Each structure stands twice: as C-alpha cells, then as structure tokens.
Amino acid sequence: MKTIFSILVFMALIGCERELSNDAEFATFSTTGEVFTDLPIGLGSDFYFPFLGSKATAFSVDEFVAYESGASMRFDVPNANDPEGNFAGAIFRIEGSGRNLTEFDALTFWARASQGVNIGEIGFGQDFGENKFQVTRTNVSLGTQWAKYVIPIPDPSKLTEERGMLWYSAGTNETGGFGYTFWLDEVKFEKLGTIAQAQPAILNGVDVEQDAFINIPITISGLTQTFSTASGNITVNTTPSYFDFQSTNVDVARANELGIVSVVDTGEATITASLANVAAAGSLALDVSGTFDFAPTPPTRNPDDVVSIFSDAYTNVAVDYYNGFFTDGFQTTEGGAPPIDVNGDMVINYTVLNFVGIGTFQDVAPVNLTEMTHIHVDIKVNESIDSGDFIRLQLLNSVGNNETSGDYTIDGAALTANQWVSLDIPLADFNGLGDRSQIGLLFFISDATIADIFVDNIYYYR
C-alpha cells in the first residue's frame, strides 16, 4: 500500500508541475517611460541619492515653475564655498525592480536656468551598483527659456531592467563660483524615431599602438556614441557594456564586457569593437613581449624629507609636463606624456631618447631644493648597453632669470641592460649648479646613445 500511495503522490506532483509550467506567467518589468511630470513617476519613496561632497538639499519639487505641468524638478547649485557642498549632483534611482526601456531610443526633458550656464553632466544608467549601462551627455548648455534636450540611448536592447532613471552633476565653474538654479520638466524616455546614423567609437576614435605585458590588464577608455538627431549631432559618453569587443588573437589578449583587456601571452593582438552591429572607430594594437618588470621596492623615506617629482610612494609636486616637446627641431624623444599606468603603478617610458625635460616652472612654482641633499631615480634601459653609452642628468635653476645649470653623467658601467637600477646622487655632484632654490627643469640626456628607458621614483631627499 505504501508503495502504491507513493506512486500516486509522485504522479500527482508531476501533473502539478506540468500544469504550472504551462500556465505560469513570467515576471515582466515596467515599460513606463515617464520619470517626472508633476511629480516623480514610479520611482518609489526613496529615489534621490546625492553624490559624496554635493549639497544634499539641492533638489526640490517646484510648484511655481513648470513647462507644461503643475510642477518641475528644481536644482539649486550652491556657491563654490558653500560648507554644505560645493556642487549639486545625484542619481534618481527606482526603488525595487528596474524598467524595460527597450522600446525607447532617448531620454528627453525640457529645461531652463536662471542664467545661461553649462551643466557639466546629465544622463541615465547610474544606480550606485554596477552602472553597466551608464550614459552621459556633457556640457549641456541651458538658457533662460524652456528648450527640449535629448540624450540618445546607444543600444536600447541592453536596457531590459534599468534602475538608473536620471543623474546629473553641476558646479559653478563658469559662474565665478556663484550658484544658480535650473529646472527640468517632462523628463521621460521616448521613441523619437529621429535618432539615426550611429557613429560609435572607442579610444576617442584613435587607432592606438602600445606595448603590453602579461597579466597586466588594460582598460579601454574614450567610449562614445554619436547620433544624428532632429537638433543636430549629439555625442554621449557610454560604458563598455554597450559594446561588443573583438580580438584578432584571443590567445594573446581579449576584452570582456566591462572593457578590461586581459593580456595572457606574448605576441600581437588588436582589439576592436562594435555597438549594435555598427563597427566602432578606434582600435588598440598590442605588442606583448612578456611580463612587466616593476621598479625596485617602493621607497620608504620619511615624506617630510622628500620633494617628489614622480613617485607613487609620495605626494608629487605639481608638474607642468613630463616631456616638453621642445620645438627647436633637435629633440627626438617620444613618450612620457602622459606616463603609462601599469596596473595602478605609474611609470614613464621615453623612446627615441636624445633629451627630454620634466618641467616645474611654467604654470607652477619652481622647486626649492635648498634643504635637499640627493636625487633618487630608478632607471631601466630597455636595450643593450655599450661602453660609451651614458645618461646625463641636468638640473636648471631659476629658469628664465639668470639661469644656471648643473650636470651629472651616469656612464654605461652604472647601468644594466633590461634591469632596474636605483641611483642616489648627491646634488653637490651636479657640476656648476650652485644655487638650487628655484629648480625648474630636470633633463634626461643620452645624445642618442641610449634610446629606450623606463624611469620611476624621481625624488629629491635629505
């Protein structure tokens, strides 16, 4: 009997399972496009999340100013010296499940301001989570009269459950530090039908060639999408998840949906991308020679005894440039501007080196090294070294005003091919320098005897 009863129960369960699978309705997400008309639409009771450092009370619902409704979203951008926050910025996020926005092609709104201003950033897709499908339109110019603005969706098919309905960041950069007010109304996702001629780009549309190293990831930046609209071309910044990335050699390098390139072996590979089946301008061609050899153990000197020019171990002084690119027709040096980021470790690479200057005197004050006694620098020569090779360091004092200079030559015997060398050189050994109260330039000079170097941890100390 027990066996028969068990069989009957089992058959009943099977019957129930089949009945549920045939009749069950899968959960769907709201397809509402409205974000704000007279009030926030469907966002829940807790929807406004200010950015860190912004004025938390910048947003309110204004029942006296509106476009075609009874109220608008009001944003009071604070003065730059406001103790409660020196800018206004926040996200508007749905409380709970997101919306299905696949049938829309743009976020639109009407806007005006108390004076002519540029709003730094407005967009959607920020939810303080993954922000996978964030979109940003920058420098949005508002006048004192109501006008409609459009933020195109790069690929609506990606937005099946989006919680980030709107976000903004506005400061006082163009108003002399004084605050102002702007209003948004009729904020909604729409199907305009006039969003066309997609022009996606990675790396700002540039074909980039660079060295890469095994197990050192590279993040693809400069991601944009440009559309033709009824009001002209509009370019938005996008996140990598809108793109599909391809590699010519996945055994060397490949990119994931977050735009992070994994470098897995030596060789060459080129990363390209497409967005909604449209090929993106720009590419990343990688030459992977092996693993990266980092500089020696980071320095541990007391920061009070250091004036740092370039080091991750200290706070660096302001620097005008790492390669001034002098225009006398003699300089050949490439690289250095900007330094390269190797998994969070900044390193300078100079190639075709004959001379190059690191400057601290144009827009920032020269460096007073009166109390410093030495200069430290880590150098790696990325080639063979002959007996006559050298790197000369030159310091210039009081640039543009009775300039004096001092030189110190590092001969080939003090350097090792393809290995880092740490050098600590007394400033007193820089011949002819004398006064060092206004050091404005540090030169690396090779006279083309050494053409490819890495440099790191450039600092003065006592």
Side-chain angles (χ1 to χ4, degrees):
M1 275 306 281
K2 288 183 179 179
T3 302
I4 295 173
F5 179 74
S6 298
I7 293 172
L8 291 173
V9 170
F10 179 66
M11 292 178 66
L13 290 175
I14 291 176
C16 290
E17 181 180 348
R18 286 176 178 170
E19 184 177 353
L20 287 173
S21 64
N22 289 334
D23 297 339
E25 293 185 6
F26 293 101
T28 58
F29 301 106
S30 170
T31 57
T32 300
E34 287 77 11
V35 178
F36 183 97
T37 52
D38 285 339
L39 71 170
I41 304 297
L43 302 186
S45 59
D46 190 17
F47 58 84
Y48 184 75
F49 297 88
F51 293 131
L52 182 66
S54 69
K55 188 166 184 174
T57 57
F59 164 71
S60 62
V61 175
D62 193 328
E63 297 181 350
F64 300 97
V65 176
Y67 172 61
E68 283 185 343
S69 59
S72 67
M73 306 172 82
R74 174 177 175 140
F75 303 92
D76 294 306
V77 180
N79 293 340
N81 61 357
D82 192 318
E84 296 182 11
N86 59 9
F87 76 103
I91 71 170
F92 291 79
R93 185 182 71 189
I94 291 176
E95 183 181 24
S97 299
R99 294 184 186 176
N100 184 336
L101 303 176
T102 57
E103 297 302 315
F104 305 109
D105 59 17
L107 171 67
T108 68
F109 53 85
W110 289 79
R112 56 159 291 209
S114 58
Q115 62 187 74
V117 293
N118 278 349
I119 306 302
E121 297 175 312
I122 301 181
F124 61 88
Q126 277 215 57
D127 58 9
F128 285 171
E130 291 184 299
N131 300 332
K132 286 183 64 175
F133 300 113
Q134 179 178 322
V135 172
T136 308
R137 183 172 171 182
T138 62
N139 297 318
V140 180
S141 179
L142 304 187
T144 58
Q145 302 297 316
W146 288 106
K148 188 172 183 177
Y149 296 83
V150 174
I151 302 179
I153 301 175
D155 182 0
S157 70
K158 303 280 188 177
L159 304 184
T160 57
E161 188 189 359
E162 181 56 57
R163 297 179 66 204
M165 295 291 98
L166 175 71
W167 73 274
Y168 77 101
S169 178
T172 61
N173 291 340
E174 294 190 3
T175 63
F178 295 105
Y180 55 88
T181 299
F182 71 95
W183 295 264
L184 304 184
D185 202 356
E186 299 299 311
V187 182
K188 64 183 72 174
F189 289 91
E190 290 190 80
K191 178 69 173 180
L192 298 177
T194 57
I195 307 295
Q197 298 177 356
Q199 302 171 56
I202 66 173
L203 301 166
N204 296 311
V206 177
D207 294 321
V208 175
E209 298 180 4
Q210 71 176 65
D211 294 331
F213 305 94
I214 295 173
N215 295 328
I216 302 297
I218 300 169
T219 300
I220 297 178
S221 59
L223 305 172
T224 64
Q225 173 75 298
T226 300
F227 286 104
S228 172
T229 74
S231 55
N233 286 349
I234 295 176
T235 297
V236 294
N237 298 327
T238 76
T239 48
S241 294
Y242 279 105
F243 288 82
D244 295 311
F245 294 97
Q246 299 86 36
S247 172
T248 58
N249 191 344
V250 295
D251 293 328
V252 173
R254 68 200 73 151
N256 65 15
E257 66 168 352
L258 300 180
I260 299 173
V261 179
S262 298
V263 183
V264 295
D265 204 351
T266 58
E268 297 180 350
T270 298
I271 306 298
T272 56
S274 59
L275 198 164
N277 297 318
V278 178
S283 63
L284 178 63
L286 301 177
D287 184 357
V288 186
S289 57
T291 58
F292 186 79
D293 182 18
F294 288 94
T297 303
T300 57
R301 298 186 184 278
N302 187 336
D304 292 338
D305 296 327
V306 170
V307 175
S308 181
I309 302 299
F310 181 82
S311 176
D312 293 320
Y314 303 107
T315 300
N316 299 318
V317 300
V319 172
D320 286 308
Y321 50 77
Y322 293 104
N323 186 339
F325 297 108
F326 295 87
T327 57
D328 59 3
F330 175 66
Q331 184 194 21
T332 63
T333 307
E334 298 178 357
I340 60 176
D341 185 344
V342 185
N343 202 26
D345 188 354
M346 305 302 292
V347 181
I348 296 174
N349 181 210
Y350 292 126
T351 58
V352 201
L353 174 66
N354 61 347
F355 74 90
V356 66
I358 297 177
T360 56
F361 72 96
Q362 287 184 331
D363 297 324
V364 298
V367 180
N368 186 345
L369 302 180
T370 302
E371 297 185 2
M372 301 296 109
T373 60
H374 291 72
I375 182 174
H376 175 97
V377 60
D378 294 328
I379 299 178
K380 181 188 176 189
V381 178
N382 300 314
E383 57 189 77
S384 61
I385 300 173
D386 296 329
S387 58
D389 291 344
F390 69 90
I391 295 176
R392 181 176 296 121
L393 303 184
Q394 184 180 75
L395 294 174
L396 273 67
N397 187 71
S398 191
V399 173
N401 180 23
N402 300 319
E403 181 179 290
T404 59
S405 65
D407 302 280
Y408 181 89
T409 299
I410 307 165
D411 61 36
L415 301 168
T416 303
N418 300 305
Q419 291 185 24
W420 285 98
V421 174
S422 295
L423 301 167
D424 292 275
I425 305 165
L427 293 176
D429 290 355
F430 280 75
N431 298 321
L433 180 59
D435 178 37
R436 51 179 186 268
S437 62
Q438 299 183 71
I439 299 296
L441 273 169
L442 166 62
F443 276 105
F444 290 85
I445 304 169
S446 79
D447 197 22
T449 60
I450 293 175
D452 187 349
I453 65 172
F454 283 120
V455 293
D456 200 357
N457 296 316
I458 307 169
Y459 61 86
Y460 305 97
Y461 67 92
R462 60 185 172 189

mmCIF file of all heavy atoms in Angstrom, residues 14 18 35 49 52 83 86 106 125 136 199 228 257 267 294 334 347 368 399 406-407 414 462:
data_model
loop_
_atom_site.group_PDB
_atom_site.id
_atom_site.type_symbol
_atom_site.label_atom_id
_atom_site.label_comp_id
_atom_site.label_asym_id
_atom_site.label_seq_id
_atom_site.Cartn_x
_atom_site.Cartn_y
_atom_site.Cartn_z
ATOM 1 N N ILE A 14 3.925 15.342 -10.522
ATOM 2 C CA ILE A 14 4.292 15.542 -11.935
ATOM 3 C C ILE A 14 3.195 16.302 -12.653
ATOM 4 O O ILE A 14 3.430 17.249 -13.409
ATOM 5 C CB ILE A 14 4.554 14.179 -12.623
ATOM 6 C CG1 ILE A 14 5.830 13.552 -12.063
ATOM 7 C CG2 ILE A 14 4.659 14.367 -14.131
ATOM 8 C CD1 ILE A 14 6.123 12.168 -12.619
ATOM 9 N N ARG A 18 3.577 20.030 -14.488
ATOM 10 C CA ARG A 18 3.257 20.298 -15.883
ATOM 11 C C ARG A 18 2.218 21.404 -16.002
ATOM 12 O O ARG A 18 2.304 22.273 -16.846
ATOM 13 C CB ARG A 18 2.739 19.018 -16.548
ATOM 14 C CG ARG A 18 3.829 17.989 -16.822
ATOM 15 C CD ARG A 18 3.260 16.718 -17.385
ATOM 16 N NE ARG A 18 4.299 15.755 -17.700
ATOM 17 C CZ ARG A 18 4.079 14.497 -18.027
ATOM 18 N NH1 ARG A 18 2.831 14.043 -18.065
ATOM 19 N NH2 ARG A 18 5.077 13.687 -18.315
ATOM 20 N N VAL A 35 9.496 59.718 -16.145
ATOM 21 C CA VAL A 35 10.319 59.801 -14.938
ATOM 22 C C VAL A 35 9.803 60.905 -14.016
ATOM 23 O O VAL A 35 9.703 60.736 -12.803
ATOM 24 C CB VAL A 35 11.800 60.068 -15.301
ATOM 25 C CG1 VAL A 35 12.645 60.213 -14.040
ATOM 26 C CG2 VAL A 35 12.335 58.950 -16.191
ATOM 27 N N PHE A 49 19.550 60.172 -4.473
ATOM 28 C CA PHE A 49 20.780 59.807 -3.787
ATOM 29 C C PHE A 49 21.900 60.763 -4.212
ATOM 30 O O PHE A 49 22.464 60.630 -5.301
ATOM 31 C CB PHE A 49 21.169 58.367 -4.121
ATOM 32 C CG PHE A 49 20.160 57.354 -3.663
ATOM 33 C CD1 PHE A 49 19.088 57.006 -4.483
ATOM 34 C CD2 PHE A 49 20.257 56.772 -2.416
ATOM 35 C CE1 PHE A 49 18.152 56.082 -4.065
ATOM 36 C CE2 PHE A 49 19.315 55.838 -1.989
ATOM 37 C CZ PHE A 49 18.263 55.492 -2.814
ATOM 38 N N LEU A 52 28.725 62.053 -3.077
ATOM 39 C CA LEU A 52 29.571 62.469 -1.971
ATOM 40 C C LEU A 52 30.149 63.861 -2.249
ATOM 41 O O LEU A 52 30.690 64.110 -3.332
ATOM 42 C CB LEU A 52 30.712 61.467 -1.772
ATOM 43 C CG LEU A 52 31.674 61.739 -0.611
ATOM 44 C CD1 LEU A 52 30.929 61.588 0.716
ATOM 45 C CD2 LEU A 52 32.855 60.778 -0.670
ATOM 46 N N PRO A 83 29.534 75.515 2.652
ATOM 47 C CA PRO A 83 30.029 74.462 3.552
ATOM 48 C C PRO A 83 29.219 73.175 3.489
ATOM 49 O O PRO A 83 29.689 72.124 3.920
ATOM 50 C CB PRO A 83 29.927 75.113 4.943
ATOM 51 C CG PRO A 83 28.882 76.170 4.806
ATOM 52 C CD PRO A 83 29.022 76.685 3.400
ATOM 53 N N ASN A 86 29.969 71.871 -2.401
ATOM 54 C CA ASN A 86 30.344 72.882 -3.387
ATOM 55 C C ASN A 86 29.853 72.574 -4.798
ATOM 56 O O ASN A 86 30.260 73.220 -5.752
ATOM 57 C CB ASN A 86 31.859 73.077 -3.399
ATOM 58 C CG ASN A 86 32.616 71.797 -3.734
ATOM 59 O OD1 ASN A 86 32.015 70.802 -4.121
ATOM 60 N ND2 ASN A 86 33.922 71.829 -3.570
ATOM 61 N N ALA A 106 15.586 57.359 -26.595
ATOM 62 C CA ALA A 106 16.209 58.542 -25.990
ATOM 63 C C ALA A 106 15.558 58.884 -24.661
ATOM 64 O O ALA A 106 14.367 58.597 -24.438
ATOM 65 C CB ALA A 106 16.114 59.748 -26.927
ATOM 66 N N GLY A 125 21.370 55.742 -16.159
ATOM 67 C CA GLY A 125 22.117 54.485 -16.049
ATOM 68 C C GLY A 125 22.971 54.352 -14.813
ATOM 69 O O GLY A 125 23.578 53.299 -14.606
ATOM 70 N N THR A 136 26.199 59.451 -20.570
ATOM 71 C CA THR A 136 26.456 60.810 -20.103
ATOM 72 C C THR A 136 26.508 61.775 -21.277
ATOM 73 O O THR A 136 27.233 61.531 -22.255
ATOM 74 C CB THR A 136 27.798 60.891 -19.361
ATOM 75 O OG1 THR A 136 27.854 59.889 -18.352
ATOM 76 C CG2 THR A 136 27.994 62.269 -18.737
ATOM 77 N N GLN A 199 27.409 56.471 -34.850
ATOM 78 C CA GLN A 199 28.856 56.531 -35.066
ATOM 79 C C GLN A 199 29.563 56.228 -33.738
ATOM 80 O O GLN A 199 30.015 57.134 -33.046
ATOM 81 C CB GLN A 199 29.271 57.902 -35.581
ATOM 82 C CG GLN A 199 28.595 58.334 -36.863
ATOM 83 C CD GLN A 199 28.882 59.781 -37.190
ATOM 84 O OE1 GLN A 199 30.035 60.205 -37.297
ATOM 85 N NE2 GLN A 199 27.826 60.571 -37.343
ATOM 86 N N SER A 228 22.903 61.310 -35.255
ATOM 87 C CA SER A 228 22.243 62.430 -35.917
ATOM 88 C C SER A 228 20.829 62.513 -35.369
ATOM 89 O O SER A 228 20.112 61.516 -35.324
ATOM 90 C CB SER A 228 22.213 62.217 -37.433
ATOM 91 O OG SER A 228 21.416 63.200 -38.054
ATOM 92 N N GLU A 257 33.121 42.355 -21.236
ATOM 93 C CA GLU A 257 32.035 43.317 -21.412
ATOM 94 C C GLU A 257 32.248 44.595 -20.610
ATOM 95 O O GLU A 257 31.561 45.588 -20.849
ATOM 96 C CB GLU A 257 30.709 42.688 -21.029
ATOM 97 C CG GLU A 257 30.584 42.350 -19.557
ATOM 98 C CD GLU A 257 29.166 41.993 -19.173
ATOM 99 O OE1 GLU A 257 28.253 42.144 -20.017
ATOM 100 O OE2 GLU A 257 28.960 41.580 -18.031
ATOM 101 N N GLY A 267 52.999 38.040 -27.975
ATOM 102 C CA GLY A 267 52.528 38.107 -29.350
ATOM 103 C C GLY A 267 51.861 39.442 -29.630
ATOM 104 O O GLY A 267 52.052 40.418 -28.893
ATOM 105 N N PHE A 294 58.684 45.477 -12.686
ATOM 106 C CA PHE A 294 58.450 46.711 -11.943
ATOM 107 C C PHE A 294 59.736 47.234 -11.322
ATOM 108 O O PHE A 294 60.704 46.492 -11.123
ATOM 109 C CB PHE A 294 57.406 46.483 -10.840
ATOM 110 C CG PHE A 294 56.010 46.304 -11.363
ATOM 111 C CD1 PHE A 294 55.503 45.036 -11.606
ATOM 112 C CD2 PHE A 294 55.209 47.398 -11.631
ATOM 113 C CE1 PHE A 294 54.225 44.860 -12.094
ATOM 114 C CE2 PHE A 294 53.918 47.229 -12.118
ATOM 115 C CZ PHE A 294 53.432 45.964 -12.347
ATOM 116 N N GLU A 334 60.258 60.651 -27.687
ATOM 117 C CA GLU A 334 58.827 60.399 -27.639
ATOM 118 C C GLU A 334 58.470 59.764 -26.301
ATOM 119 O O GLU A 334 59.327 59.236 -25.586
ATOM 120 C CB GLU A 334 58.413 59.472 -28.783
ATOM 121 C CG GLU A 334 58.668 60.048 -30.172
ATOM 122 C CD GLU A 334 58.300 59.080 -31.281
ATOM 123 O OE1 GLU A 334 57.903 57.936 -30.956
ATOM 124 O OE2 GLU A 334 58.410 59.449 -32.456
ATOM 125 N N VAL A 347 54.453 54.701 -14.530
ATOM 126 C CA VAL A 347 55.839 54.603 -14.981
ATOM 127 C C VAL A 347 55.995 55.480 -16.217
ATOM 128 O O VAL A 347 55.071 55.609 -17.027
ATOM 129 C CB VAL A 347 56.219 53.140 -15.323
ATOM 130 C CG1 VAL A 347 57.673 53.050 -15.755
ATOM 131 C CG2 VAL A 347 55.968 52.221 -14.140
ATOM 132 N N ASN A 368 62.084 74.468 -4.557
ATOM 133 C CA ASN A 368 63.185 74.891 -3.695
ATOM 134 C C ASN A 368 63.847 73.653 -3.098
ATOM 135 O O ASN A 368 63.257 72.956 -2.269
ATOM 136 C CB ASN A 368 62.665 75.806 -2.586
ATOM 137 C CG ASN A 368 63.789 76.397 -1.757
ATOM 138 O OD1 ASN A 368 64.932 75.939 -1.811
ATOM 139 N ND2 ASN A 368 63.470 77.420 -0.987
ATOM 140 N N VAL A 399 64.842 79.234 -13.773
ATOM 141 C CA VAL A 399 64.594 79.238 -15.209
ATOM 142 C C VAL A 399 64.046 80.598 -15.649
ATOM 143 O O VAL A 399 63.097 81.123 -15.072
ATOM 144 C CB VAL A 399 63.617 78.112 -15.589
ATOM 145 C CG1 VAL A 399 63.218 78.210 -17.045
ATOM 146 C CG2 VAL A 399 64.250 76.756 -15.305
ATOM 147 N N GLY A 406 73.426 72.461 -13.765
ATOM 148 C CA GLY A 406 74.429 71.518 -13.306
ATOM 149 C C GLY A 406 74.197 70.162 -13.913
ATOM 150 O O GLY A 406 73.051 69.751 -14.150
ATOM 151 N N ASP A 407 75.281 69.424 -14.182
ATOM 152 C CA ASP A 407 75.192 68.143 -14.875
ATOM 153 C C ASP A 407 75.799 67.029 -14.034
ATOM 154 O O ASP A 407 76.760 67.238 -13.292
ATOM 155 C CB ASP A 407 75.944 68.200 -16.212
ATOM 156 C CG ASP A 407 75.423 69.273 -17.130
ATOM 157 O OD1 ASP A 407 74.389 69.025 -17.764
ATOM 158 O OD2 ASP A 407 76.041 70.355 -17.181
ATOM 159 N N ALA A 414 77.401 52.018 -14.846
ATOM 160 C CA ALA A 414 76.472 52.121 -13.708
ATOM 161 C C ALA A 414 75.076 51.641 -14.066
ATOM 162 O O ALA A 414 74.191 51.636 -13.208
ATOM 163 C CB ALA A 414 76.420 53.557 -13.209
ATOM 164 N N ARG A 462 66.632 64.576 1.729
ATOM 165 C CA ARG A 462 67.734 64.962 2.627
ATOM 166 C C ARG A 462 67.961 63.864 3.648
ATOM 167 O O ARG A 462 67.036 63.126 3.986
ATOM 168 C CB ARG A 462 67.384 66.275 3.347
ATOM 169 C CG ARG A 462 66.132 66.228 4.204
ATOM 170 C CD ARG A 462 65.804 67.568 4.778
ATOM 171 N NE ARG A 462 64.473 67.527 5.443
ATOM 172 C CZ ARG A 462 63.829 68.585 5.899
ATOM 173 N NH1 ARG A 462 64.357 69.789 5.743
ATOM 174 N NH2 ARG A 462 62.654 68.470 6.495
#
